[in-house]
C-alpha cells in the first residue's frame, strides 16, 4: 500500500504526465466505445450535396471532399489506429520480453544469437523495416500489426536483457537456484516480476512510435486498408484539399499529435515514478 501511495505521489508531481494520462484515456475510451456511440452517420457514407460542409450542429468537424462526416471518421479512425498500434506493441513486447529473458539469463550462444538479431533489427529504421515487411507479406491490417510488432522487438529485448543480467546475480535468485528451483521457474517467478516496471514503461513509450508507424503506412497506402477509416489515410486523402479545406488534415493530424505526445509524457512519468533511484 505504501509503495502504491509513493508511486502516485511521484507520478502526480509531473503535471504534464497527469494531464497526458487523462488525454490518453479519453482517446482509448473513444477507440473502444466511440463507434458504438456514433450511430448518426456511417463513416463511409458519402453525400455529394454536403461536400466540404463547415462546422455545424449536424457536422461537428464538417465534412470531407466526399461529403463524409469528419468527426465520425475521426472516431472510427481512433479504433483502427490505436487498436493496431496496441496489438502490434503487445505482440512485439511479448516476443521481445521472452528474447530478453533468455538472452540475459542463459547468456552464451543464445545471448550471442539474440544480440546479433537485435543489432540487425536496430540497423534498419523502424518505418523502413515496417515497409519492407509489408512489401514482402502484402497489404492487410494483420500484416500491419506484424510490421509494428517486429519494429518494437529490439527495444523490449535490450531493456529486459540488461535488467535480467543485473537481477540474475542477486541473492534471492542465487538462493532459489541453490534450493533446486529450475531455470524457467526462477525466470518466471523471481526475475520476470521484477521486470514489470520496465515492461510497462517500454510499452507506453512505444505506443506513440507505433501509432506514427501505423499512420505513416496508411498515409502511403500500405497500412490499414480502405474502406476502414484511419488517421493516416484520412490525412492522405485530404492532402489535395488542404489549402481550400485544411480541417480535413488538421483534425486527424491533431489526434495523432495528442496521442504521440501523451504516450511519451505518460511513459516519462511512469519511468520516474517507478525508478527506485529517484
Amino acid at each position: 500500500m505504501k509503495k502504491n501511495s509513493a508511486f502516485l505521489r511521484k507520478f502526480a508531481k509531473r503535471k504534464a504526465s497527469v494531464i497526458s494520462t487523462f488525454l490518453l484515456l479519453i482517446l482509448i475510451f473513444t477507440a473502444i466505445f466511440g463507434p458504438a456511440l456514433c450511430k448518426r452517420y456511417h463513416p463511409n457514407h458519402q453525400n455529394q450535396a454536403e461536400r466540404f460542409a463547415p462546422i455545424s450542429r449536424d457536422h461537428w468537424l464538417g465534412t470531407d471532399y466526399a461529403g463524409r462526416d469528419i468527426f465520425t471518421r475521426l472516431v472510427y479512425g481512433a479504433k483502427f489506429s490505436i487498436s493496431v498500434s496496441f496489438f502490434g506493441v503487445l505482440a512485439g513486447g511479448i516476443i521481445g520480453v521472452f528474447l530478453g529473458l533468455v538472452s540475459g539469463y542463459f547468456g552464451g550462444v543464445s545471448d550471442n544469437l539474440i544480440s546479433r538479431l537485435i543489432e540487425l533489427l536496430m540497423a534498419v529504421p523502424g518505418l523502413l523495416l515496417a515497409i519492407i515487411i509489408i512489401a514482402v507479406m502484402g497489404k492487410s491490417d494483420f500484416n500491419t500489426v506484424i510490421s509494428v510488432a517486429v519494429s518494437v522487438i529490439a527495444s523490449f529485448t535490450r531493456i529486459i536483457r540488461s535488467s535480467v543480467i543485473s537481477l540474475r546475480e542477486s541473492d534471492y535468485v542465487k538462493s532459489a537456484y541453490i534450493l533446486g528451483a529450475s531455470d524457467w521457474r526462477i525466470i518466471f517467478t523471481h526475475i520476470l516480476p521484477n521486470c514489470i516496471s520496465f515492461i510497462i514503461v517500454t510499452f507506453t513509450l512505444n505506443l506513440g512510435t507505433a501509432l506514427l508507424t501505423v499512420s505513416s503506412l496508411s498515409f502511403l497506402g500500405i497500412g490499414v486498408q480502405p474502406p476502414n477509416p484511419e488517421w493516416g489515410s484520412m490525412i492522405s486523402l485530404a492532402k489535395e484539399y488542404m489549402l481550400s479545406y485544411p480541417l480535413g488534415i488538421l483534425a486527424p493530424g491533431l489526434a495523432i499529435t495528442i496521442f504521440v505526445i501523451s504516450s511519451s509524457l505518460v511513459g516519462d512519468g511512469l519511468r520516474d515514478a517507478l525508478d527506485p533511484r529517484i
Side-chain angles (χ1 to χ4, degrees):
M1 195 69 177
K2 290 182 178 179
K3 288 184 179 180
N4 292 334
S5 60
F7 163 76
L8 291 175
R9 284 198 303 271
K10 290 180 182 179
F11 188 79
K13 289 181 180 179
R14 292 180 61 96
K15 303 301 181 185
S17 296
V18 174
I19 295 173
S20 297
T21 301
F22 284 108
L23 293 175
L24 198 61
L25 289 176
I26 290 173
L27 289 174
I28 293 174
F29 179 88
T30 301
I32 297 174
F33 301 105
L37 300 177
C38 291
K39 294 294 187 180
R40 185 172 184 180
Y41 299 103
H42 190 275
N44 297 317
H45 174 70
Q46 300 184 14
N47 186 353
Q48 295 297 327
E50 293 188 338
R51 294 177 72 246
F52 300 122
I55 296 175
S56 64
R57 184 177 61 181
D58 294 329
H59 302 287
W60 293 359
L61 292 176
T63 61
D64 62 7
Y65 68 95
R68 296 173 296 192
D69 185 70
I70 294 179
F71 179 78
T72 301
R73 290 180 59 78
L74 194 69
V75 170
Y76 276 81
K79 171 186 174 182
F80 291 100
S81 298
I82 296 177
S83 61
V84 171
S85 303
F86 177 86
F87 287 111
V89 176
L90 180 63
I94 292 173
I95 298 172
V97 168
F98 178 78
L99 293 177
L101 290 171
V102 172
S103 177
Y105 184 82
F106 293 104
V109 177
S110 60
D111 184 28
N112 288 330
L113 291 175
I114 293 174
S115 296
R116 299 297 82 77
L117 173 63
I118 297 308
E119 289 173 1
L120 178 63
L121 292 176
M122 293 181 62
V124 184
L127 179 58
L128 179 58
L129 181 61
I131 293 175
I132 293 173
I133 294 172
I134 294 294
V136 172
M137 301 183 63
K139 298 185 291 184
S140 71
D141 296 353
F142 180 73
N143 290 342
T144 303
V145 173
I146 294 177
S147 66
V148 172
V150 174
S151 67
V152 302
I153 287 175
S155 61
F156 280 94
T157 302
R158 291 176 63 244
I159 293 294
I160 300 304
R161 177 182 177 275
S162 61
S163 302
V164 173
I165 290 176
S166 61
L167 289 171
R168 72 182 181 185
E169 301 299 328
S170 59
D171 293 336
Y172 63 87
V173 171
K174 292 180 178 179
S175 299
Y177 183 78
I178 293 173
L179 291 173
S182 65
D183 290 331
W184 291 109
R185 180 176 177 83
I186 292 174
I187 289 174
F188 289 107
T189 304
H190 299 288
I191 293 181
L192 181 59
N194 287 284
C195 297
I196 294 299
S197 59
F198 299 105
I199 296 173
I200 294 174
V201 172
T202 307
F203 183 90
T204 308
L205 290 173
N206 274 287
L207 271 180
T209 304
L211 189 130
L212 279 178
T213 301
V214 172
S215 298
S216 299
L217 292 174
S218 298
F219 180 85
L220 296 173
I222 57 176
V224 177
Q225 293 301 295
N228 296 329
E230 196 277 333
W231 291 342
S233 63
M234 289 177 64
I235 294 177
S236 178
L237 294 172
K239 67 181 185 296
E240 297 181 9
Y241 311 96
M242 62 180 181
L243 295 179
S244 58
Y245 196 75
L247 190 59
I249 282 183
L250 290 177
L254 184 61
I256 293 172
T257 302
I258 292 175
F259 186 90
V260 172
I261 294 177
S262 297
S263 61
S264 298
L265 290 175
V266 170
D268 289 339
L270 290 174
R271 181 174 54 196
D272 292 346
L274 294 171
D275 191 342
R277 296 172 297 178
I278 300 179

